[in-house]
Amino acid sequence: MSKRILNVVTNVGHYDDPSHPTGLWLSELTHAWHVFERHGFEQTLVSPAGGPVPLEPRSLKFPNYDRTAKAWRADPARMALLDTTAAPDRIDSADYDAIYFTGGHAVMYDFPDSAGLQRITREIFERGGIVASVCHGYCGLLNTELSDGSYLVAGRKLTGFAWQEEVLARVDELVPYNAEAEMKKRGALYEKAMLPFVSYVVVDGNLVTGQNPGSAKATAQKIAALL
């Protein structure tokens, strides 16, 4: 029986300031999807509210807009998947071997406090399934508690988009909070690469995290290897 992956995407289309659009960082989905597809894994898309997923405009420009992202946008069937994502209450966590949180600054708004995503994540993690994220996707792990009331991330090694990278991307004044700092407040053992924007992946048991958009493929490869 093939392994099954639940890919988490955002429903949010802008920062607090509506004049600044954001959304899913497309290559963080397409790079992983491509890896999982090659391994024959079944894949489902879920979002905090269900339904349509906006795309981050900056992810659709050079150098981020690569072959896998272009191929996805050129495929009506694939684009339709982003219009019809499942809501968490339609998902039985027992059907999935791994959950993978994609990024884009939009997820900072709708991932952290989704009770439905927290339920799915906790259930998959506690039965030994893989919980994974890339870039801002780790915001989806910020407030997830285990059955004993402790934070899932407490005392665990992980990575995600660094504050230094926010500054270099010139969005440090737009984002609603400092995700790296918030992770550390919850007891996470945060790590990052020596240089910004290079691929960096951290594996701590069944928790797999990638630092930035360039880490999506390597993160997916680690997940596939564990499965």
Side-chain angles (χ1 to χ4, degrees), residues 41-225:
F41 301 160
E42 292 180 36
Q43 300 187 70
T44 302
L45 290 174
V46 66
S47 61
V53 176
L55 299 180
E56 161 64 60
R58 296 210 296 184
S59 75
L60 307 178
K61 296 176 182 174
F62 180 85
N64 307 297
Y65 194 40
D66 70 351
R67 185 171 50 83
T68 63
K70 289 176 181 174
W72 187 288
R73 280 191 85 204
D75 184 339
R78 290 279 164 93
M79 289 301 289
L81 293 176
L82 291 176
D83 285 330
T84 56
T85 62
D89 61 3
R90 305 298 300 272
I91 298 295
D92 181 349
S93 68
D95 291 338
Y96 296 93
D97 301 284
I99 184 169
Y100 168 72
F101 288 84
T102 64
H105 287 93
V107 312
M108 300 181 79
Y109 296 95
D110 63 347
F111 278 13
D113 297 315
S114 169
L117 291 178
Q118 290 172 6
R119 169 189 63 81
I120 295 165
T121 304
R122 176 174 56 254
E123 290 171 358
I124 289 176
F125 188 80
E126 289 187 337
R127 61 176 168 76
I130 295 169
V131 169
S133 67
V134 72
C135 200
H136 290 91
Y138 74 148
C139 295
L141 308 178
L142 268 175
N143 298 327
T144 299
E145 295 181 354
L146 301 177
S147 296
D148 64 5
S150 65
Y151 283 119
L152 184 154
V153 298
R156 292 190 167 87
K157 294 186 290 185
L158 56 71
T159 190
F161 207 63
W163 184 249
Q164 178 192 21
E165 291 171 318
E166 302 281 23
V167 173
L168 291 170
R170 298 178 184 171
V171 291
D172 51 305
E173 294 185 6
L174 283 175
V175 294
Y177 51 87
N178 179 332
E180 177 186 333
E182 291 299 319
M183 268 297 174
K184 291 174 180 174
K185 284 181 191 174
R186 287 156 178 76
L189 307 177
Y190 179 84
E191 300 179 6
K192 64 182 179 183
M194 293 284 287
L195 297 172
F197 302 115
V198 300
S199 178
Y200 188 74
V201 181
V202 174
V203 179
D204 187 341
N206 56 330
L207 179 64
V208 182
T209 51
Q211 184 176 330
N212 45 41
S215 309
K217 181 178 179 181
T219 302
Q221 289 170 333
K222 293 285 189 187
I223 296 166

